[in-house]
Amino acid sequence: MGDAHHILVVEDERAIASFLRRGLVYEGYRVTVADRGSRALEAARDDPPDLVILDIMLPGEIDGLEVCRRLRAAGDDMPILMLTARDEVADRVAGLDAGADDYLVKPFAFEELLARVRALLRRHERRRSEEPGADGVYRFADLTLDTTSRFAYRGERRIELTTREYELLLLFMRHPNQVLTRDVIMERIWGYDFPGESNVLEVYISNLRRHLEAGGEPRLLQTVRGAGYALRLPSS
Ligand code: CA
């Protein structure tokens, strides 16, 4: 096994939350628990999970459906497994409409949950490792990157990219909402041997931003201080 998958459990019922945490940690997952919708969104932004287990019924203004909608609106594409209290078709449909990938009705057997988690992670990784959809286009918020023509678009605005800029943007589009360190980016785009002292990456990032923001669009290529860069929506 490589790096442990990170699972965000959003559940306000303590007994269930701690049962899930213990079970998932035992299975080798890294687990974060949030007991409110607002905290779930913060947690997902600060430390993006590979999968979210999301209870529909949460106290406060942001319930599970709303968490789901906001994650999807922010461009997050990780699998989301909804937990519903009752076996009600309306809940399930609402959950799937909000962007959930699958749902589980409480009470459930832990083994069943594990099977779903594994299946969702597998499916997601397959999707990630593939080229984008049949149309060859990656999408994040209003930004699209066409791997056939090698043009990027902000909405309808077409952006021409140099080869390096294209490769750099492609790397981010393949890892949305993920912090990519300077070392990782340098290694992927320029290879191992590139001198570490150079500011070539900073120059390329700033060129890419200039292209991507030429129409006054909000910044999508964020600097994560002390860590690297991430393709994500500006924090509100
Ligand atoms: Ca609940």
Side-chain angles (χ1 to χ4, degrees):
M1 244 169 71
D3 288 345
H5 283 114
H6 177 211
I7 298 182
L8 173 61
V9 173
V10 189
E11 170 62 89
D12 59 301
E13 286 165 74
R14 282 192 177 184
I16 298 177
S18 76
F19 160 75
L20 288 176
R21 182 202 287 274
R22 265 182 287 129
L24 290 167
V25 166
Y26 182 79
E27 292 294 324
Y29 296 105
R30 184 161 71 84
V31 179
T32 301
V33 174
D35 63 354
R36 292 285 187 282
S38 54
R39 286 176 197 152
L41 292 169
E42 281 168 30
R45 200 182 54 213
D46 295 344
D47 185 6
D50 298 301
L51 180 140
V52 182
I53 297 174
L54 182 58
D55 187 30
I56 284 197
M57 298 288 287
L58 295 171
E61 290 180 6
I62 303 176
D63 68 1
L65 292 175
E66 187 57 24
V67 170
C68 195
R69 276 186 216 107
R70 292 195 192 186
L71 288 174
R72 292 308 187 218
D76 285 315
D77 71 340
M78 79 288 270
I80 298 177
L81 176 60
M82 282 270 191
L83 304 180
T84 72
R86 302 143 290 160
D87 190 3
E88 282 194 0
V89 176
D91 274 5
R92 279 186 251 159
V93 171
L96 297 172
D97 275 351
D101 295 273
D102 200 358
Y103 62 87
L104 208 51
V105 178
K106 291 181 182 176
F108 50 82
F110 186 68
E111 285 304 321
E112 176 64 20
L113 176 112
L114 268 186
R116 303 287 183 95
V117 164
R118 285 195 206 105
L120 286 170
L121 286 172
R122 261 200 314 271
R123 197 206 298 170
H124 188 65
E125 263 158 28
R126 235 176 5 240
R127 212 163 54 198
R128 275 251 164 115
S129 62
E130 283 167 1
E131 285 301 303
D135 59 355
V137 174
Y138 284 95
R139 294 181 174 82
F140 182 83
D142 67 341
L143 174 64
T144 51
L145 183 63
D146 186 331
T147 59
T148 309
S149 70
R150 297 196 158 213
F151 285 122
Y153 295 82
R154 275 312 282 272
E156 299 290 301
R157 188 170 67 81
R158 194 173 86 171
I159 302 164
E160 284 186 47
L161 301 168
T162 65
T163 301
R164 284 287 198 232
E165 288 166 353
Y166 170 80
E167 287 170 358
L168 190 55
L169 185 56
L170 181 61
L171 179 62
F172 283 106
M173 294 299 268
R174 282 181 167 153
H175 303 277
N177 293 303
Q178 213 176 308
V179 178
L180 301 176
T181 64
R182 195 174 188 287
D183 286 353
V184 163
I185 300 169
M186 294 302 289
E187 182 193 313
R188 298 282 193 88
I189 306 296
W190 282 276
Y192 282 102
D193 297 322
F194 208 89
E197 295 307 307
S198 164
N199 69 342
V200 68
L201 176 59
E202 287 67 27
V203 170
Y204 271 95
I205 292 277
S206 98
N207 284 347
L208 201 46
R209 279 178 177 155
R210 207 158 34 74
H211 294 314
L212 297 179
E213 299 164 16
E217 296 92 345
R219 175 156 298 179
L220 294 180
L221 205 48
Q222 316 294 347
T223 300
V224 184
R225 200 163 298 175
Y229 298 95
L231 182 69
R232 64 186 181 203
L233 294 178
S235 36
S236 42

